[in-house]
Every structure is written in C-alpha cells, then in structure tokens.
C-alpha cells in the first residue's frame, strides 16, 4: 500500500472541528489535510476520537462545529453530502457490523448493490468478481451470521466495494481477526486498489504493525492530532523504525510513562495436580464437528494461550470448560472435578469473559460490577469495596456511572474483564479479552493478568489474536478446524517451524494444514472484470433503493420464525380469546321519539326519558323509516315508536304496544339500554297510577313493551365483539412488529448502512413497512375467514369496503409503529411503549366497549385522534349493519390521513446522521 497511482489531488480537509458527547469533548479543534488517492492510517488509543473523526469525514455523524471537505464536497451541506454518498464506502467498527446475519453471503452483497442502484447485470457481475477475489465463492448461500470473523470482514469489504467507491473508510476492520485472515484482508485491499488505483483508503486500526503498510499516517491522542504526514516522514522525524515506536514518542511525557515494557517472571510449577484437564474433548453441532478430540493439561498459576483461526473452535472449547455447552464426547475437569453446569461450588471459583459483550446495556458500569459481585455472594460491603478496586485497576472510575452502550469498544472490554475478576477467581477463562483494545490498555490488562498468575497463582486460560500477547504466555496451543496443530512454549513453536516470529510460525502451521494467505487474482483466473454500472433513471434509482430495503426486511422476517409466528398466530389468538371476554358499559344513551299519537300522555311518556341523566334526546323523528336510517348511521342508540291512539287506548285499558327499537350491534350495550328503558317505563307506570283515571288493577300493565334490536336481531355478543377484536388485533400486532424495525438496527449498528448510503429516510421507512403491511393483510384475511367460518359471524356488508378500510388501517398502524421506532432507544422500550400507546385508546376510546357518541370532552377527541376509532366504525358497520364502500369514504380519508401523518413524521424524526 505504499505506491498509489496518480489520482485526484483534492482529498480530505478538516478545519477547526470539535465534537462533544454530553459534557465530554472528544475532538478538540482538529485541523488536518489528507491527499486523495492515498492509503491513510489513523492510529490512537481507545476513546480518543478515531471513530468519531471517521464518522464526521464520511458524513454519517453530524458535524457540530468546524468544516470538513471530503473529496471536494462540503460535508456540512446536506444536499452536497447526499450527492457525495454514492462515492463513499463506509465499514463501521465491529465484526460484520454492516452485515445482516440471516442473509446469505450473496444476499448481503446484492442488498448493497441494490442500495446503490446497480442493475441486475451489474450486480451479478460485481458479486461474482468479489466472491472469487475474496475466496468466498464456495459459500454464496451461507448465512452471514455463521461465518468466521475473518470471513465476515471479507464479506463486509465486498459489500463496501460493490459500487466501486472513490473513498473507502474502514474503522478497525481487522479487530478480532486472526493473523492469517488479517493478511488475507490486506492482500484483498491491495488487489482492489490495483483494480481501482485512484481510490482513497482511510483506516483506523488497533494493530500498529498494520499501520506500517500505509503511505500516510495520522496519530491522534485525547482528541488532539499528534502527527499528520507521510508515514516515512513521521518515522524519520521521530527517529524510529516502526509506527508503534513513533506513536509512543509523540505522546506527552505523562502519557509515555504509562507505556512501558515489562518482564514476566518465569513460571514455576509448584507440583500440584493440573487444575484444568481435557481429554479427547469433542463438540458436535449436528453433522459439524466444532472441536475434534482436543486434549491438554493446564497447571496451577500457568498462563495458557489459545491461538487459532476464526471459527476454529476456541470459544466452543472455553464454553465447554465453563459448563455453558454440553460435551459431545471426551471429558473435562476443573480442580479435579468433572465439568458440570450445576456444580455451583466450582463455578464460584471461575471467572469467565465471553468474546461477545455479555453484560447489561441498561445498567451503568458500576451497577454491572455490583450485580456481578452480588451474584458471587459477596456481602454489600465486600461488593462495594471490590467494585471500587476493579474500577481503579482497569481505569474505569471516570466512566463508572455511564452505560456501556456509549463506551468505546476498548472500555467495554475493560468492563468485561473487570467483571470476570470481580470474585477473585482461581481460574480465569478469557475469550479474546483484548480484542479492539489499544496497545497501552492491552499492556495494562496483561500487567494485571501476570500479577494474578505469579502472585495469586491464578490459572489463566486466554485466547488472543495478538502475537505479542501470545509470546507472554507460558504455553500456547495452535488450533485450526477444531484440531490442535501444535502445543508448546512460544519460543519452542517458533524454533520447530524455523520461523522468524510467532506470527510466521502460526501462519506456517495453518498453511501446512491446508490454508493459504493468497487471495484469488481475477485476471489470472480468467474471471471477467465486473461490468461498469450504467446510469439509472431517477425513478428507477428510487424504486431500486426502496425495493432493496423491502426485500431485505422480507427475507429477514421470513427467516425469523419467532417473529413470523407472532405476526400470524398473535392476531388469531387474540381473536379467539378476546371475542368471548369483552364487556361493555355506557354513560349516556342518545335516543329519538316517533310520536304518532301526539297526545298529552305520549308527551308525558317522552318526558320521562328527557328528564333522566342516562338518556340524551336528539331531534324528533317523523317516521319509522327515518328512525331506522338514523340508527344505521350511528346517530342514535334508541328509538321510541309511540303508536297512534296510544293515550286513548291506555285510558280505555286496552294495553297499547310501545315499540322500543334498540341498536343491537353491541349486545351488552343493547342489554343495558333495554334495562334502563324498562326501569324508566316502570317508574312512569307507577306515576301514571297516581295521576290518571285508569281502571284499578290495570296501571301496572297500562301498556306492553315490544323491544326490537336493529342489525343484530339474534342479540349474540360475538357478533359485536368480533369486529372490535379485528380492529384491536390490526392496531396491536403490526404496530409492535414495525416498532422494532428501526430501533433494532440502531442497537446492532446496521443503521449505519442507511447513513452511509444515498438512500433517503423515506425509501428506508417505506421499504421496511412494505413486508409488514403484506403480513398484516394476510392476518386480516385469516381473521375475517375465521370470524365467518369458525365463529359463525356473518359479514352482512361489503367485503371490498371492509378490506379497503383494513388496508388503510394497516398502513396507519404500521406507520405508527415506525414512528415510535424512530425515537425510542431500545427494543424493550419499543415493545412496551407500543403496547401501552395502542391499547389504551383502542380499548377505551374507539367504540370497542361503548360507542364514541357516549364520550364527552378529552376522551372523545382522544378517540377521534387515533385510527382505531375510524376502523371500528368500518368493521362494525360491515359486519353488523351491512354497510359498504360509499358509507365508509370519510373513514377511508381519515385513515389515509393518519398513515401519511405517521410516515411523514417518522421521516422527519429519523435523522440520516448519528449525533
């Protein structure tokens, strides 16, 4: 990477840039100038602002102050930045951070190709070229989540390079990757640059030896630039021969005191039996053998190193020793006792640090350590003392009250190691504890480990990809494909391989086992160069990016069986259970009177209702047909039909019939209305007995009541409950599923793919919404089918009218879920927040329990401002009242308005930059 071809001279200009997180400034007035067409290394300890600076240069992080020009583009200008993004490839920190685990190798690259609007032929050509160049061609259908660390990084690089960028930014791309894969990775980058010589490569790295290969060097510490020049010039000015030595010499005097070499006292065997033993240890996952007859013995106080390629079985072996994984065959003992998941006495003496972060993101650093201490049964006083000691030993005191989410990777690793040591263990099992940690912090770790080993006789079983760390081990084991290739002291393995260094010996062992550091040369292999992407019309670009997100979300959803089952079975279960358990209540009953008699007695009868607090009279109705129409439109819930000659027949003792017409579409409401009506009429009859000359003995039955129920003559509760449950299911389940969409990507980090792409937030959100809309429509059809066939609820109105309403309702509910997902910070908050926000208005204010006409004041307007109320009118009208499309037009308009409001608000709230 030292001799770039001629390229554009306008590179990266940073002027007066500062950046803060809360009250902490991580970049202090940064000013630097970098040429285009070069390979540039950015080096520095954890938490000094490397990732922040790279994010600002790429435009994926919001610029707070100063100016940045990247390849001649003003990054602070939004329009200019969006125009620049097709020229950028950004690979965030972390193994496969920009990948989607359930998507295959080919599907991941294809997604990025669609994201950058490559047509089908160009995508296929680029994918073939990249897979062959990286050696991933044999694994096109393997899910990204099942790749080794090195293969993930190769795939991440393929995804970044699929659109042939002018600027490639890699944030610690080889962290956690074994030496062989690191060499393969950089050989691949070299090959890609030879094919595209004008490409600028900007890389941050924790491996100082890697920085030696770059043509330019930027050294940063504590948010300040220490050096920015050609690598050769920096080495010459500092009088050093390596980047690591040059970096140390550039540090302030106080900082240099913390960076020093240290010697490790030789290990002395005290003659006690081995504390860790494995004999033919084997672990199988189906037909795949992850660990294949591994044997070793580790003595008390020994530091035993575990080296191997990514995916060779190191982590699996460690998990078997801790009891986290069952042993398929063979045996393992700790302190002479067989490993058992239920052996608490043994586990209390073991400290374990997993490769992936396994502490609680919701708790602060101090709270995590305190929890670990109490889990190991330390008293409150002992726990507090031990936590303070760990905070001081691992230099975490300044971050004690921060949550791990916002900490750099190196600090998260310190926290994990502190948690593993919290119980003063006799055995420490550490799975790549210094992955992503800067050299100074690694030295601090190892000083602590050496002290534990030599002074406290703690046995340490540690895996690592750093060769200088492996040299500090008393013995090491080299693994590949589940088998042990060599086991001895580091110096002995170097001598046996006839190599100059442990890394060379390690790679020699791997190559002897059939691996190779070389990458495929497309030209020599006869592979055609990828086709140049042709210009794409704006509409096709928009559709390509929209479909990229929609297709990816669909594939992920279909492969997530739990989410898929919840999406399909959730609404069905809700329908079958809730259809029989919802009750109703009322506050006021709107009614009208059809008075054919117009006598004093009929007017007195009507006045009995107008004087009751349970009834609210509306305008009189001239005839029975008009009364039925008003019932159909939901204007009234009760109609009194007083026949002609009602008063005269009463006085004559002929017991005239009084028709009481009740809206029976809601059975519980109808039953309550009937009870209230009968109670009112009984009181009226008693009053009539005292004031009217009706023959004695007839006053109690002066007239007969004939109740009739409109639209639900059978008066079965399931007829009314079912439409409401469909409404509830379609606002609850689809909203909860989509509410996870954006926040899940924020948590795992794949949201960076949106930030670093030319796609808009609208394309992203609509693409994510589409599969959930489709799935919700299938749920709706299943609900209607079960309602009609299984529950026996007739659909009296228009199926087309109901389905149109359901479609608009689903658009609104999924849009609302995306809106929630844009501003919450965790998936837990998204789920609970969505459930609460949806349930309260849908159950209480939508007409499910009682008609919205009975609501007054804030509850009424609250119900009207939520889509569930409007779809309840459609669902109830279609099922029980026989209504169709023409009647539902106002409801359609309201639901479409909600959908546009929610999606539009989500687009405005979802910023296409990190803060």
């Amino acid at each position: 990477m030292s001799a770039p071809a001629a390229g554009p001279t306008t590179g990266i200009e940073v002027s007066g840039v500062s950046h803060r997180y809360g009250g902490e400034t991580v970049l202090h007035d940064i000013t630097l100038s970098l040429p285009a067409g070069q390979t540039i290394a950015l080096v520095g300890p954890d938490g000094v602002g490397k990732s922040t600076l790279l994010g600002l240069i790429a435009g994926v992080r919001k610029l707070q102050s100063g100016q940045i020009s990247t390849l001649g583009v003003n990054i602070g200008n939004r329009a200019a930045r969006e125009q620049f993004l097709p020229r950028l490839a950004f690979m965030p920190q972390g193994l496969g951070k920009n990948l989607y685990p359930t998507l295959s190798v080919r599907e991941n690259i294809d997604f990025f190709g669609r994201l950058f609007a490559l047509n089908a032929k160009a995508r296929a050509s680029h994918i073939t070229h990249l897979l062959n160049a990286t050696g991933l061609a044999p694994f096109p259908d393997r899910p990204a989540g099942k790749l080794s660390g090195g293969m993930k990084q190769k795939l991440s690089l393929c995804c970044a390079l699929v659109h042939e960028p002018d600027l490639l930014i890699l944030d610690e791309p080889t962290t956690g990757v074994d030496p062989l894969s690191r060499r393969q990775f950089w050989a691949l980058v070299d090959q890609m640059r030879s094919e595209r010589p004008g490409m600028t490569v900007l890389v941050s790295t924790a491996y100082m030896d890697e920085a030696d290969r770059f043509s330019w060097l930027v050294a940063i510490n504590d948010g300040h630039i220490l050096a920015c020049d050609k690598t050769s010039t920096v080495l010459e000015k500092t009088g050093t021969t390596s980047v690591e030595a040059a970096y140390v010499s550039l540090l302030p005097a106080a900082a240099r005191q913390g960076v020093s070499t240290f010697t490790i006292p030789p290990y002395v065997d005290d003659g006690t039996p081995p504390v860790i033993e494995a004999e033919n240890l084997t672990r199988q996952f189906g037909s795949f053998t992850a660990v294949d007859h591994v044997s070793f013995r580790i003595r008390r106080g020994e530091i035993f190193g575990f080296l191997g390629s990514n995916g060779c079985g190191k982590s699996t072996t460690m998990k078997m020793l801790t009891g986290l994984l069952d042993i398929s065959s063979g045996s393992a003992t700790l302190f002479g006792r067989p490993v058992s998941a239920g052996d608490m006495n043994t586990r209390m003496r073991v400290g374990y640090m997993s490769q992936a972060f396994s502490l609680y993101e919701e708790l602060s650093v101090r709270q995590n350590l305190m929890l670990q201490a109490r889990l190991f049964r330390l008293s409150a006083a002992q726990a507090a003392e031990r936590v303070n000691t760990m905070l001081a030993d691992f230099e975490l005191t300044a971050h004690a009250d921060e949550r791990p989410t916002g900490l750099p990777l190196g600090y998260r690793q310190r926290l994990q190691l502190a948690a593993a040591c919290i119980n003063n263990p006799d055995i420490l099992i550490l799975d790549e504890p210094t992955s992503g940690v800067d050299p100074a912090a690694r030295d601090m770790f190892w000083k602590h480990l050496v002290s534990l080993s030599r002074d406290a006789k703690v046995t340490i079983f540690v895996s690592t990809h750093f060769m200088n760390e492996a040299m500090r081990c008393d013995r090491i084991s080299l693994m590949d494909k589940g088998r042990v290739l060599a086991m001895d002291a580091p110096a002995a393995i170097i001598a046996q391989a006839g190599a100059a260094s442990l890394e060379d010996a390690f790679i020699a062992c791997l190559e002897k086992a059939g691996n190779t550091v070389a990458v495929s040369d497309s030209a020599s292999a006869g592979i055609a160069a990828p086709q140049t992407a042709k210009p794409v019309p704006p509409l096709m670009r928009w559709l390509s990016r929209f479909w990229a997100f929609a297709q990816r979300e669909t594939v992920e959803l279909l492969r997530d069986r739990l989410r898929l089952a919840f999406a399909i079975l959730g609404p069905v279960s809700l329908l079958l259970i809730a259809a029989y358990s919802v009750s109703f209540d009322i506050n006021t009953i709107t009614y009208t009177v059809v008075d054919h008699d117009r006598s004093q007695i009929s007017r007195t009868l009507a006045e009995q209702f107008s004087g009751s607090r349970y009834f609210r009279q509306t305008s009189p109705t001239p005839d029975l047909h008009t009364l039925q129409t008003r019932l159909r439109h939901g204007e009234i819930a009760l109609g009194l039909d007083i026949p002609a000659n009602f008063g005269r027949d009463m006085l004559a003792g002929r017991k005239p019939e009084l028709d009481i017409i009740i809206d029976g579409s809601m059975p519980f409401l109808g039953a309550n209305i009937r009870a209230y009506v009968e109670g009112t009429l009984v009181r009226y009859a008693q009053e009539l007995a005292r004031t009217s000359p009706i023959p004695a003995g007839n006053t109690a039955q002066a007239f007969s009541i004939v109740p009739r129920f409109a639209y639900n003559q059978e008066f079965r509760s399931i007829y009314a409950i079912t439409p409401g449950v469909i409404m509830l299911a379609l606002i609850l389940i689809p909203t909860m599923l989509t509410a996870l969409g954006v926040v899940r990507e924020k948590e795992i980090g794949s949201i960076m793919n949106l930030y670093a792409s030319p796609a808009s937030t609208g394309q992203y959100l609509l693409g994510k919404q589409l599969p959930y809309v489709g799935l919700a429509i299938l749920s709706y059809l299943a609900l209607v089918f079960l309602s009609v066939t299984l529950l026996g609820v007739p659909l009296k109105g228009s199926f087309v009218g109901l389905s149109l309403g359901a479609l608009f309702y689903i658009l609104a509910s999924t849009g609302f879920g995306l809106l929630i997902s844009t501003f919450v910070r965790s998936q837990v908050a998204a789920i609970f927040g969505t459930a609460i926000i949806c349930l309260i208005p849908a159950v209480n204010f939508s007409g499910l329990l009682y008609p919205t006409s009975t609501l007054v004041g804030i509850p009424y307007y609250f119900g009207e401002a939520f889509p569930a109320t409007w779809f309840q009118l459609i669902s109830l009208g279609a099922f029980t009242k026989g209504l169709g499309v023409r009647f539902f037009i106002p409801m359609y308009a309201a639901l479409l308005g909600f959908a546009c409001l929610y999606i539009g608000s989500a687009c405005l709230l979802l910023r296409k930059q990190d803060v």
Side-chain angles (χ1 to χ4, degrees), residues 55-103:
L56 291 171
I57 292 172
V60 301
R61 197 172 294 279
K62 186 177 180 180
L63 187 62
Q64 295 178 353
S65 66
Q67 292 183 336
I68 296 179
S69 173
T70 303
L71 301 187
V73 175
N74 180 8
I75 292 298
N77 182 289
R78 179 178 177 181
R81 184 176 66 249
E82 291 297 321
Q83 290 294 322
F84 159 73
L85 287 175
R87 303 170 59 194
L88 169 72
F90 181 74
M91 189 171 151
Q93 186 185 88
L95 286 176
K97 198 77 169 182
N98 61 334
L99 302 179
Y100 300 93
T102 58
L103 267 61

Side-chain angles (χ1 to χ4, degrees), residues 759-837:
S760 67
T761 54
Q763 292 164 338
Y764 172 75
L765 292 172
L766 290 174
K768 292 188 77 68
Q769 184 186 28
L770 182 61
Y772 295 102
V773 169
L775 194 58
I777 289 174
L778 292 178
S779 296
Y780 153 75
L781 293 174
L783 292 176
V784 173
F785 176 78
L786 290 174
S787 299
V788 174
T789 59
L790 182 63
L791 301 178
V793 179
L795 179 59
K796 297 180 180 180
S798 167
F799 174 72
V800 173
L802 177 63
S803 298
L804 277 175
L807 173 61
F808 299 149
Y809 184 47
I810 288 167
L811 289 173
S813 64
T814 52
F816 187 60
L818 290 174
L819 176 60
I820 292 175
S821 194
T822 57
F823 61 82
V824 294
R825 295 185 177 181
S826 69
Q827 295 184 64
V828 174
I831 284 290
F832 282 100
T834 302
I836 293 170
I837 293 172

Side-chain angles (χ1 to χ4, degrees), residues 208-224:
M208 290 294 182
D209 58 323
E210 288 182 351
D212 288 322
R213 65 191 299 127
F214 289 84
S215 58
W216 273 71
L217 180 69
V218 179
I220 184 172
N221 182 64
D222 196 25
H224 297 276

Side-chain angles (χ1 to χ4, degrees), residues 720-739:
I721 294 173
T722 299
V725 174
I726 292 176
M727 173 274 295
L728 189 61
L730 293 183
I731 192 64
L732 188 61
I733 308 300
T735 308
M736 291 174 70
L737 287 171
T738 49

